[in-house]
Amino acid sequence: MNPDVRKSATDPAASTGSPAFTLPALPYVQDALEPYVSARTTGFHYGKHHKGYIDNLNKLVGGTVSAGLPLESIIAATVGRPDEAAIFNNAAQAWNHAFYWRSLRPKGGGEPPAALKKKIEASFGTLDAFKKEWATAATTQFGSGWAWLVLDGDKLKVVKTGNADVPLTTGLKPLLTIDVWEHAYYLDYQNRRADYVNAVLDKLINWEFAAENLG
Ligand code: FE
């Protein structure tokens, strides 16, 4: 990160005295995604993993000028920089998880709102064709990562990213995501990632959130 973006932790003007990054509230209660994602999984995923990224980020940039920046700015300033990898990874994972929780909802799935459905059909042919492409991306992401529905110019696309990577950094606008790190599903589905992905698509996906992001 540039010196003007991240000042020394000893700079008294940069110190805020309190953690700059806080864990955003879950948009629903911890057992709201059952039976498709258990309260136990959500408890660990949100309370340990997501919180861990926030805590790490505070340790890494707390008390510096970066601590006051939006996550998007930190992500943009550190992407592709090996010397800033720890900050990038924790900032991106903090952003990805907040976006993931909002990509799901109890009683989700079903049909997208009309305008979004039309856009999906224009880009993929049919809703089923989109679902198939999304499920393929989510199940074939090797190791840890994410599958996304994004807006690329005027067209919707499915992309996958590894580890903490986020499509924001390549000029794509995320509309929805699914976390395919093992911590997202292993307690409930063990190695059956495809069952988790299909359950999310059919029962939990928050089309209204995607429609909001589409604008
Ligand atoms: Fe996760």
Side-chain angles (χ1 to χ4, degrees), residues 45 49 53 93 97 146 179 181 183-184:
H45 197 177
H49 293 273
Y53 299 123
Q93 284 295 76
H97 281 85
W146 303 82
D179 188 341
W181 285 58
H183 66 226

Side-chain angles (χ1 to χ4, degrees), residues 37 100 104 109 178 195-205:
V37 175
Y100 169 69
L104 309 183
I178 181 169
D195 290 354
Y196 156 71
V197 169
N198 287 326
V200 166
L201 257 178
D202 291 338
K203 305 295 183 183
L204 298 177
I205 206 77

